[in-house]
Amino acid sequence: PTPNPLPLLSVNNNDVSDLSIYPNPVNDILEINYPVTIKEVRIYNLLGELILKDINKNRLNVSSLESGVYFIQLNSGKNQVSKKFIKL
């Protein structure tokens, strides 16, 4: 059996309050507002599967994603935060 990757998506610190993503729901471009330098951005589906991975981005083109609910995970090197968003 494969391990459940969902614990990876949990948020274990208070930095998520500093993260804002918009628009949410989103059609094409997801804007990321986070006061810390972002080293890596990952997007996961509800099954915990990695869908998209990028580096040093404050804007993501998510137009290729199918409609649904996703998690965006930001890694600053020191902190890791996740937030849910909806793709229309």
Coordinates of all heavy atoms in Angstrom, one line a residue:
P1 N 0.8 -1.2 0.0 CA 0.0 0.0 0.0 C 0.9 1.3 0.0 O 1.9 1.3 0.6 CB -0.8 -0.1 1.3 CG -0.1 -1.1 2.1 CD 0.7 -2.0 1.2
T2 N 0.4 2.3 -0.7 CA 1.1 3.5 -0.7 C 0.8 4.4 0.5 O -0.3 4.4 1.0 CB 0.8 4.3 -2.0 OG1 -0.6 4.6 -2.0 CG2 1.2 3.6 -3.3
P3 N 1.8 5.1 1.0 CA 1.6 5.9 2.2 C 0.7 7.1 1.9 O 0.7 7.6 0.7 CB 3.0 6.4 2.6 CG 3.8 6.2 1.4 CD 3.2 5.1 0.6
N4 N -0.1 7.5 2.8 CA -1.0 8.6 2.6 C -0.3 9.9 2.6 O 0.3 10.2 3.7 CB -2.1 8.6 3.7 CG -3.2 9.6 3.5 OD1 -3.0 10.5 2.6 ND2 -4.2 9.6 4.3
P5 N -0.2 10.6 1.5 CA 0.6 11.9 1.5 C -0.1 13.1 2.1 O 0.5 14.1 2.2 CB 0.8 12.1 0.0 CG -0.4 11.5 -0.6 CD -0.8 10.3 0.2
L6 N -1.3 12.9 2.6 CA -2.0 14.1 3.1 C -1.3 14.8 4.3 O -1.4 16.0 4.4 CB -3.5 13.7 3.4 CG -4.3 13.4 2.2 CD1 -5.7 13.1 2.6 CD2 -4.3 14.6 1.2
P7 N -0.6 14.1 5.2 CA 0.1 14.8 6.3 C 1.0 15.9 5.7 O 1.3 16.9 6.3 CB 0.8 13.7 7.1 CG 0.0 12.5 6.8 CD -0.6 12.7 5.4
L8 N 1.6 15.7 4.5 CA 2.4 16.6 3.9 C 1.7 17.9 3.7 O 2.3 19.0 3.7 CB 2.9 16.0 2.6 CG 3.8 16.9 1.7 CD1 5.2 17.0 2.3 CD2 3.9 16.3 0.3
L9 N 0.4 17.9 3.5 CA -0.4 19.1 3.2 C -0.9 19.8 4.4 O -1.4 20.9 4.3 CB -1.6 18.7 2.3 CG -1.2 18.0 1.0 CD1 -2.5 17.6 0.2 CD2 -0.4 18.9 0.1
S10 N -0.6 19.2 5.6 CA -1.1 19.9 6.8 C -0.3 21.1 7.1 O 0.9 21.2 6.7 CB -1.2 18.9 7.9 OG 0.2 18.5 8.2
V11 N -0.8 22.0 7.8 CA -0.1 23.3 8.1 C 0.2 23.2 9.6 O -0.7 23.1 10.4 CB -1.0 24.5 7.8 CG1 -0.2 25.7 8.2 CG2 -1.3 24.5 6.3
N12 N 1.5 23.2 10.0 CA 1.9 23.1 11.4 C 2.4 24.4 12.0 O 3.1 24.3 13.0 CB 2.9 22.0 11.5 CG 2.3 20.6 11.1 OD1 1.2 20.3 11.4 ND2 3.1 19.8 10.5
N13 N 2.2 25.5 11.3 CA 2.7 26.7 11.9 C 1.7 27.8 11.6 O 0.7 27.6 10.9 CB 4.1 27.1 11.3 CG 4.0 27.2 9.8 OD1 3.1 27.9 9.2 ND2 5.0 26.7 9.1
N14 N 1.9 29.0 12.2 CA 1.0 30.1 12.1 C 1.2 31.0 10.9 O 0.5 31.9 10.7 CB 1.1 31.0 13.3 CG 0.6 30.2 14.6 OD1 -0.2 29.3 14.5 ND2 1.2 30.5 15.7
D15 N 2.2 30.6 10.0 CA 2.5 31.5 8.9 C 1.4 31.5 7.8 O 1.4 32.3 6.9 CB 3.8 31.0 8.2 CG 5.0 31.3 9.2 OD1 4.9 32.2 10.0 OD2 6.0 30.6 9.0
V16 N 0.5 30.5 7.9 CA -0.5 30.5 6.8 C -1.4 31.8 6.9 O -1.9 32.2 5.9 CB -1.4 29.2 7.0 CG1 -2.3 29.3 8.2 CG2 -2.2 29.0 5.7
S17 N -1.5 32.4 8.0 CA -2.2 33.7 8.1 C -1.6 34.8 7.3 O -2.2 35.7 6.9 CB -2.4 34.1 9.6 OG -1.1 34.4 10.1
D18 N -0.3 34.7 7.0 CA 0.4 35.6 6.2 C 0.3 35.4 4.7 O 0.7 36.2 3.9 CB 1.9 35.6 6.5 CG 2.2 36.1 8.0 OD1 1.4 36.8 8.5 OD2 3.2 35.6 8.5
L19 N -0.3 34.2 4.3 CA -0.4 33.8 2.9 C -1.8 34.2 2.4 O -2.8 33.9 3.0 CB -0.2 32.3 2.8 CG -0.6 31.7 1.5 CD1 0.3 32.2 0.4 CD2 -0.4 30.1 1.6
S20 N -1.8 34.9 1.3 CA -3.1 35.1 0.6 C -2.9 34.7 -0.9 O -1.9 35.0 -1.5 CB -3.6 36.5 0.7 OG -2.7 37.4 0.1
I21 N -3.9 34.0 -1.4 CA -3.9 33.7 -2.8 C -5.2 34.2 -3.4 O -6.3 34.2 -2.7 CB -3.8 32.1 -3.0 CG1 -4.8 31.4 -2.2 CG2 -2.4 31.7 -2.7 CD1 -4.8 29.9 -2.5
Y22 N -5.2 34.7 -4.6 CA -6.4 35.3 -5.2 C -6.2 35.3 -6.7 O -5.1 35.3 -7.2 CB -6.6 36.7 -4.7 CG -5.4 37.7 -4.8 CD1 -5.3 38.5 -6.0 CD2 -4.4 37.7 -3.9 CE1 -4.2 39.3 -6.1 CE2 -3.3 38.5 -4.1 CZ -3.2 39.3 -5.2 OH -2.1 40.2 -5.4
P23 N -7.3 35.4 -7.5 CA -8.6 35.2 -7.0 C -8.8 33.7 -6.6 O -8.1 32.8 -7.1 CB -9.5 35.5 -8.2 CG -8.6 35.2 -9.4 CD -7.2 35.5 -8.9
N24 N -9.8 33.5 -5.7 CA -10.1 32.1 -5.3 C -11.6 32.1 -5.1 O -12.1 32.7 -4.2 CB -9.4 31.8 -4.0 CG -9.6 30.3 -3.6 OD1 -10.0 29.5 -4.4 ND2 -9.2 30.0 -2.4
P25 N -12.3 31.4 -6.1 CA -11.9 30.6 -7.1 C -11.1 31.3 -8.3 O -11.3 32.5 -8.5 CB -13.2 30.0 -7.7 CG -14.3 30.5 -6.8 CD -13.7 31.5 -5.9
V26 N -10.3 30.5 -9.0 CA -9.5 31.1 -10.1 C -9.8 30.4 -11.4 O -10.2 29.2 -11.5 CB -8.0 30.9 -9.7 CG1 -7.7 29.4 -9.5 CG2 -7.1 31.5 -10.7
N27 N -9.6 31.2 -12.5 CA -9.8 30.6 -13.9 C -8.4 30.4 -14.5 O -8.1 29.3 -14.9 CB -10.5 31.6 -14.8 CG -12.0 31.5 -14.6 OD1 -12.6 30.4 -14.5 ND2 -12.7 32.6 -14.5
D28 N -7.5 31.4 -14.5 CA -6.3 31.3 -15.2 C -5.0 31.6 -14.3 O -4.2 30.7 -14.2 CB -6.3 32.3 -16.4 CG -7.3 32.0 -17.4 OD1 -7.6 30.8 -17.7 OD2 -8.0 33.0 -17.9
I29 N -4.9 32.8 -13.8 CA -3.7 33.2 -13.1 C -4.0 33.3 -11.6 O -4.9 34.0 -11.2 CB -3.2 34.6 -13.6 CG1 -2.9 34.5 -15.1 CG2 -1.9 35.0 -12.8 CD1 -1.8 33.5 -15.5
L30 N -3.2 32.5 -10.8 CA -3.4 32.6 -9.4 C -2.2 33.4 -8.8 O -1.1 33.2 -9.1 CB -3.3 31.2 -8.8 CG -3.5 31.0 -7.3 CD1 -4.9 31.4 -6.9 CD2 -3.2 29.6 -6.9
E31 N -2.6 34.5 -8.1 CA -1.7 35.4 -7.5 C -1.3 35.0 -6.1 O -2.2 34.6 -5.4 CB -2.2 36.9 -7.5 CG -2.6 37.4 -8.8 CD -1.4 38.0 -9.6 OE1 -0.3 38.1 -9.0 OE2 -1.6 38.3 -10.8
I32 N -0.1 35.0 -5.8 CA 0.4 34.6 -4.4 C 1.0 35.8 -3.7 O 1.9 36.4 -4.2 CB 1.4 33.4 -4.6 CG1 0.9 32.3 -5.4 CG2 1.9 33.0 -3.2 CD1 1.9 31.3 -5.8
N33 N 0.5 36.1 -2.6 CA 1.0 37.1 -1.7 C 1.5 36.5 -0.4 O 0.7 36.1 0.4 CB -0.1 38.2 -1.5 CG 0.4 39.4 -0.8 OD1 1.6 39.5 -0.6 ND2 -0.4 40.3 -0.4
Y34 N 2.8 36.5 -0.3 CA 3.4 35.9 0.9 C 4.7 36.7 1.2 O 5.5 36.9 0.3 CB 3.8 34.4 0.6 CG 4.2 33.6 1.8 CD1 3.4 33.5 2.9 CD2 5.4 32.9 1.8 CE1 3.8 32.8 4.0 CE2 5.8 32.2 2.9 CZ 5.0 32.1 4.0 OH 5.3 31.4 5.1
P35 N 4.8 37.2 2.4 CA 5.9 38.1 2.7 C 7.3 37.5 2.8 O 8.3 38.2 2.9 CB 5.5 38.7 4.1 CG 4.7 37.6 4.7 CD 4.0 37.0 3.6
V36 N 7.4 36.2 2.6 CA 8.7 35.5 2.7 C 9.1 35.1 1.3 O 8.2 34.8 0.5 CB 8.6 34.3 3.6 CG1 9.9 33.5 3.7 CG2 8.2 34.7 5.0
T37 N 10.3 35.1 0.9 CA 10.8 34.6 -0.4 C 10.4 33.2 -0.6 O 10.6 32.3 0.2 CB 12.3 34.8 -0.5 OG1 12.7 36.1 -0.3 CG2 12.8 34.3 -1.9
I38 N 9.7 33.0 -1.7 CA 9.2 31.6 -2.0 C 10.3 30.9 -2.9 O 10.7 31.4 -3.9 CB 7.9 31.7 -2.8 CG1 6.8 32.4 -2.0 CG2 7.4 30.3 -3.3 CD1 5.6 32.8 -2.9
K39 N 10.7 29.8 -2.4 CA 11.7 29.0 -3.1 C 11.1 27.9 -4.0 O 11.6 27.6 -5.1 CB 12.7 28.3 -2.1 CG 13.5 29.3 -1.4 CD 14.6 28.6 -0.6 CE 15.5 29.7 0.0 NZ 16.8 29.2 0.4
E40 N 9.9 27.4 -3.6 CA 9.2 26.4 -4.4 C 7.7 26.4 -4.1 O 7.3 26.7 -3.0 CB 9.8 25.0 -4.0 CG 9.2 23.9 -4.8 CD 9.8 22.6 -4.4 OE1 9.6 22.1 -3.3 OE2 10.4 21.9 -5.3
V41 N 7.0 26.2 -5.2 CA 5.5 26.2 -5.2 C 5.1 24.8 -5.7 O 5.6 24.4 -6.8 CB 4.9 27.3 -6.1 CG1 3.4 27.2 -6.0 CG2 5.4 28.7 -5.6
R42 N 4.2 24.2 -5.0 CA 3.7 22.9 -5.4 C 2.2 23.0 -5.4 O 1.6 23.5 -4.4 CB 4.2 21.7 -4.6 CG 5.7 21.5 -4.7 CD 6.1 20.4 -3.8 NE 7.5 20.1 -3.9 CZ 8.0 18.9 -3.8 NH1 7.3 17.9 -3.4 NH2 9.3 18.7 -3.9
I43 N 1.5 22.3 -6.3 CA 0.1 22.2 -6.3 C -0.3 20.7 -6.3 O 0.2 19.9 -7.1 CB -0.6 22.9 -7.5 CG1 -0.3 24.4 -7.4 CG2 -2.1 22.6 -7.6 CD1 -0.9 25.2 -8.5
Y44 N -1.1 20.3 -5.3 CA -1.6 19.0 -5.1 C -3.1 18.9 -5.3 O -3.8 19.8 -5.0 CB -1.3 18.5 -3.7 CG 0.2 18.4 -3.4 CD1 0.9 19.5 -2.9 CD2 0.8 17.2 -3.6 CE1 2.2 19.4 -2.5 CE2 2.2 17.1 -3.2 CZ 2.9 18.2 -2.7 OH 4.2 18.1 -2.4
N45 N -3.6 17.7 -5.8 CA -5.0 17.5 -5.9 C -5.5 17.0 -4.6 O -4.7 16.8 -3.6 CB -5.4 16.6 -7.1 CG -4.8 15.2 -6.9 OD1 -4.4 14.8 -5.9 ND2 -4.8 14.5 -8.0
L46 N -6.7 16.7 -4.5 CA -7.3 16.2 -3.2 C -6.8 14.8 -2.8 O -6.9 14.4 -1.7 CB -8.8 16.2 -3.2 CG -9.5 17.6 -3.1 CD1 -11.0 17.5 -3.2 CD2 -9.1 18.3 -1.9
L47 N -6.3 14.1 -3.8 CA -5.7 12.8 -3.5 C -4.3 12.9 -3.0 O -3.6 11.9 -2.6 CB -5.7 11.9 -4.7 CG -7.1 11.6 -5.3 CD1 -7.0 10.8 -6.6 CD2 -8.0 10.9 -4.2
G48 N -3.7 14.1 -2.9 CA -2.4 14.3 -2.5 C -1.3 14.1 -3.6 O -0.1 14.0 -3.3
E49 N -1.8 14.0 -4.8 CA -0.9 13.8 -5.9 C -0.3 15.2 -6.4 O -1.1 16.1 -6.5 CB -1.6 13.1 -7.1 CG -2.1 11.8 -6.8 CD -3.1 11.3 -7.8 OE1 -3.8 12.0 -8.5 OE2 -3.1 10.0 -8.0
L50 N 1.0 15.2 -6.6 CA 1.6 16.4 -7.1 C 1.2 16.7 -8.5 O 1.4 15.9 -9.4 CB 3.2 16.3 -7.0 CG 4.0 17.5 -7.5 CD1 3.7 18.7 -6.6 CD2 5.5 17.2 -7.4
I51 N 0.6 17.9 -8.8 CA 0.1 18.2 -10.1 C 1.0 19.2 -10.8 O 1.2 19.1 -12.0 CB -1.3 18.8 -9.9 CG1 -2.3 17.9 -9.2 CG2 -1.9 19.2 -11.3 CD1 -2.5 16.6 -10.0
L52 N 1.6 20.1 -10.0 CA 2.4 21.2 -10.6 C 3.5 21.6 -9.6 O 3.2 21.6 -8.4 CB 1.5 22.4 -11.0 CG 2.1 23.5 -11.8 CD1 1.0 24.0 -12.7 CD2 2.5 24.7 -10.9
K53 N 4.7 21.9 -10.2 CA 5.8 22.3 -9.3 C 6.5 23.4 -10.0 O 6.8 23.3 -11.2 CB 6.7 21.1 -9.1 CG 7.9 21.4 -8.2 CD 8.7 20.1 -8.0 CE 10.0 20.3 -7.4 NZ 10.8 19.1 -7.2
D54 N 6.8 24.5 -9.3 CA 7.6 25.6 -9.9 C 8.4 26.2 -8.8 O 8.3 25.9 -7.7 CB 6.6 26.6 -10.5 CG 7.1 27.3 -11.7 OD1 8.3 27.4 -11.8 OD2 6.3 27.7 -12.6
I55 N 9.3 27.1 -9.3 CA 10.2 27.8 -8.3 C 10.0 29.3 -8.4 O 9.7 29.8 -9.5 CB 11.7 27.4 -8.5 CG1 12.1 27.7 -9.9 CG2 11.9 26.0 -8.1 CD1 13.6 27.5 -10.2
N56 N 10.2 30.0 -7.3 CA 10.3 31.5 -7.3 C 9.1 32.2 -8.0 O 9.4 33.0 -8.8 CB 11.6 32.0 -7.9 CG 12.8 31.5 -7.1 OD1 12.7 31.2 -5.9 ND2 13.9 31.3 -7.8
K57 N 7.9 31.8 -7.7 CA 6.8 32.3 -8.4 C 5.8 33.0 -7.5 O 5.6 32.5 -6.4 CB 6.0 31.2 -9.1 CG 6.7 30.6 -10.3 CD 6.7 31.4 -11.5 CE 7.4 30.7 -12.7 NZ 7.0 31.2 -13.9
N58 N 5.3 34.2 -7.9 CA 4.3 34.8 -7.2 C 3.0 34.9 -8.0 O 2.0 35.4 -7.6 CB 4.7 36.3 -6.8 CG 5.7 36.2 -5.7 OD1 6.9 36.2 -6.0 ND2 5.3 36.2 -4.5
R59 N 3.1 34.3 -9.2 CA 2.0 34.2 -10.1 C 2.1 32.8 -10.8 O 3.1 32.4 -11.3 CB 2.0 35.2 -11.2 CG 1.8 36.6 -10.8 CD 2.1 37.5 -12.0 NE 1.1 37.2 -13.1 CZ 0.2 38.1 -13.5 NH1 0.2 39.3 -13.1 NH2 -0.6 37.7 -14.5
L60 N 1.0 32.1 -10.8 CA 0.9 30.8 -11.4 C -0.2 30.7 -12.4 O -1.3 31.1 -12.2 CB 0.7 29.7 -10.4 CG 1.8 29.2 -9.5 CD1 1.4 28.1 -8.6 CD2 3.0 28.7 -10.4
N61 N 0.2 30.2 -13.6 CA -0.8 29.9 -14.6 C -1.4 28.5 -14.3 O -0.8 27.5 -14.5 CB -0.2 30.0 -16.0 CG -1.3 29.9 -17.1 OD1 -2.4 29.4 -16.9 ND2 -0.9 30.3 -18.3
V62 N -2.7 28.5 -13.9 CA -3.3 27.3 -13.6 C -4.4 26.9 -14.6 O -5.3 26.1 -14.3 CB -3.9 27.3 -12.1 CG1 -2.8 27.4 -11.1 CG2 -4.9 28.4 -11.9
S63 N -4.4 27.6 -15.7 CA -5.4 27.4 -16.7 C -5.5 25.9 -17.3 O -6.5 25.5 -17.7 CB -5.3 28.3 -17.9 OG -4.0 28.1 -18.5
S64 N -4.4 25.2 -17.2 CA -4.3 23.8 -17.7 C -4.9 22.8 -16.7 O -5.2 21.7 -17.0 CB -2.9 23.4 -18.0 OG -2.1 23.5 -16.8
L65 N -5.2 23.3 -15.4 CA -5.7 22.4 -14.4 C -7.2 22.1 -14.7 O -7.9 23.0 -15.2 CB -5.6 22.9 -13.0 CG -4.2 23.2 -12.5 CD1 -4.3 23.8 -11.1 CD2 -3.4 21.9 -12.5
E66 N -7.7 20.9 -14.4 CA -9.1 20.7 -14.5 C -9.8 21.3 -13.4 O -9.2 21.6 -12.3 CB -9.3 19.1 -14.5 CG -8.8 18.4 -15.7 CD -9.2 16.9 -15.7 OE1 -10.2 16.6 -15.0 OE2 -8.5 16.2 -16.3
S67 N -11.1 21.6 -13.6 CA -11.9 22.2 -12.5 C -11.9 21.3 -11.3 O -12.0 20.1 -11.4 CB -13.3 22.4 -13.0 OG -13.4 23.3 -14.0
G68 N -11.8 21.9 -10.1 CA -11.8 21.2 -8.9 C -11.1 21.9 -7.7 O -10.7 23.1 -7.8
V69 N -10.9 21.2 -6.6 CA -10.2 21.7 -5.4 C -8.8 21.2 -5.4 O -8.5 20.1 -5.6 CB -11.0 21.2 -4.2 CG1 -10.3 21.8 -2.9 CG2 -12.5 21.7 -4.2
Y70 N -7.9 22.2 -5.1 CA -6.5 21.9 -5.0 C -5.9 22.5 -3.8 O -6.5 23.4 -3.1 CB -5.8 22.5 -6.2 CG -6.2 21.8 -7.5 CD1 -7.3 22.3 -8.2 CD2 -5.5 20.8 -8.1 CE1 -7.6 21.7 -9.4 CE2 -5.8 20.2 -9.2 CZ -6.9 20.7 -9.9 OH -7.3 20.1 -11.1
F71 N -4.7 22.1 -3.4 CA -3.9 22.7 -2.4 C -2.6 23.2 -3.0 O -2.0 22.6 -3.8 CB -3.5 21.6 -1.3 CG -4.6 21.2 -0.4 CD1 -5.4 20.1 -0.8 CD2 -4.9 21.9 0.7 CE1 -6.4 19.7 0.0 CE2 -6.0 21.5 1.5 CZ -6.7 20.4 1.2
I72 N -2.3 24.5 -2.6 CA -1.1 25.1 -3.0 C -0.2 25.0 -1.8 O -0.6 25.3 -0.7 CB -1.2 26.5 -3.5 CG1 0.1 27.1 -4.0 CG2 -1.9 27.4 -2.5 CD1 0.0 28.3 -4.8
Q73 N 1.1 24.6 -2.0 CA 2.1 24.5 -0.9 C 3.3 25.4 -1.3 O 3.8 25.2 -2.3 CB 2.5 23.1 -0.7 CG 3.4 22.8 0.4 CD 3.8 21.4 0.5 OE1 4.6 20.9 -0.3 NE2 3.3 20.7 1.4
L74 N 3.6 26.3 -0.4 CA 4.8 27.1 -0.6 C 5.9 26.7 0.4 O 5.6 26.5 1.6 CB 4.4 28.6 -0.3 CG 3.2 29.2 -1.1 CD1 3.0 30.6 -0.7 CD2 3.4 29.0 -2.5
N75 N 7.1 26.7 -0.1 CA 8.3 26.4 0.7 C 9.2 27.5 0.6 O 9.7 27.9 -0.5 CB 8.9 25.1 0.2 CG 10.0 24.6 1.1 OD1 10.6 25.4 1.8 ND2 10.3 23.3 1.0
S76 N 9.6 28.1 1.7 CA 10.5 29.2 1.8 C 11.9 28.8 2.2 O 12.8 29.6 2.3 CB 10.1 30.3 2.8 OG 10.2 29.8 4.1
G77 N 12.1 27.5 2.4 CA 13.4 27.0 2.9 C 13.3 26.8 4.4 O 13.9 25.8 4.9
K78 N 12.7 27.7 5.1 CA 12.5 27.6 6.5 C 11.1 27.2 6.9 O 10.9 26.4 7.8 CB 12.8 28.9 7.2 CG 14.3 29.3 7.2 CD 14.5 30.6 7.9 CE 15.9 31.1 7.8 NZ 16.2 32.3 8.6
N79 N 10.1 27.7 6.2 CA 8.7 27.4 6.5 C 8.0 26.8 5.3 O 8.4 27.0 4.1 CB 8.0 28.7 6.8 CG 8.5 29.4 8.0 OD1 8.9 28.8 9.0 ND2 8.7 30.7 8.0
Q80 N 7.0 26.1 5.6 CA 6.2 25.5 4.6 C 4.7 25.7 4.9 O 4.3 25.4 6.1 CB 6.5 24.0 4.5 CG 5.8 23.2 3.4 CD 6.4 21.8 3.3 OE1 7.6 21.7 3.1 NE2 5.6 20.9 3.4
V81 N 3.9 26.3 4.0 CA 2.5 26.6 4.3 C 1.7 26.1 3.1 O 2.2 26.0 2.0 CB 2.3 28.1 4.5 CG1 3.0 28.6 5.8 CG2 2.7 28.9 3.3
S82 N 0.5 25.7 3.4 CA -0.5 25.2 2.4 C -1.8 25.9 2.6 O -2.2 26.3 3.6 CB -0.7 23.7 2.6 OG 0.5 23.0 2.5
K83 N -2.5 26.1 1.4 CA -3.8 26.7 1.4 C -4.6 26.0 0.3 O -4.1 25.6 -0.7 CB -3.7 28.2 1.2 CG -4.9 28.9 1.7 CD -4.5 30.4 1.9 CE -5.5 31.0 2.8 NZ -5.2 32.4 3.2
K84 N -5.9 25.9 0.5 CA -6.8 25.3 -0.5 C -7.3 26.4 -1.4 O -7.5 27.5 -1.1 CB -8.0 24.7 0.3 CG -9.0 24.0 -0.6 CD -10.0 23.2 0.2 CE -10.8 24.0 1.1 NZ -11.9 23.2 1.7
F85 N -7.4 26.0 -2.7 CA -8.1 26.9 -3.7 C -8.9 26.1 -4.7 O -8.8 24.9 -4.8 CB -7.0 27.7 -4.4 CG -6.2 27.0 -5.5 CD1 -6.6 27.0 -6.8 CD2 -5.0 26.4 -5.1 CE1 -5.8 26.3 -7.7 CE2 -4.2 25.7 -6.0 CZ -4.6 25.7 -7.3
I86 N -9.8 26.8 -5.3 CA -10.7 26.2 -6.3 C -10.4 26.7 -7.7 O -10.3 27.9 -7.9 CB -12.2 26.5 -5.9 CG1 -12.5 25.9 -4.5 CG2 -13.1 26.0 -7.0 CD1 -13.8 26.4 -4.0
K87 N -10.3 25.7 -8.6 CA -10.1 26.0 -10.0 C -11.4 25.9 -10.7 O -12.1 24.8 -10.6 CB -9.0 25.1 -10.6 CG -9.0 25.1 -12.1 CD -8.5 26.4 -12.7 CE -8.2 26.3 -14.2 NZ -9.4 26.3 -15.1
L88 N -11.9 26.9 -11.4 CA -13.1 26.9 -12.1 C -13.0 26.3 -13.5 O -11.9 26.3 -14.0 CB -13.7 28.3 -12.3 CG -14.1 29.0 -11.0 CD1 -14.5 30.5 -11.3 CD2 -15.1 28.3 -10.2

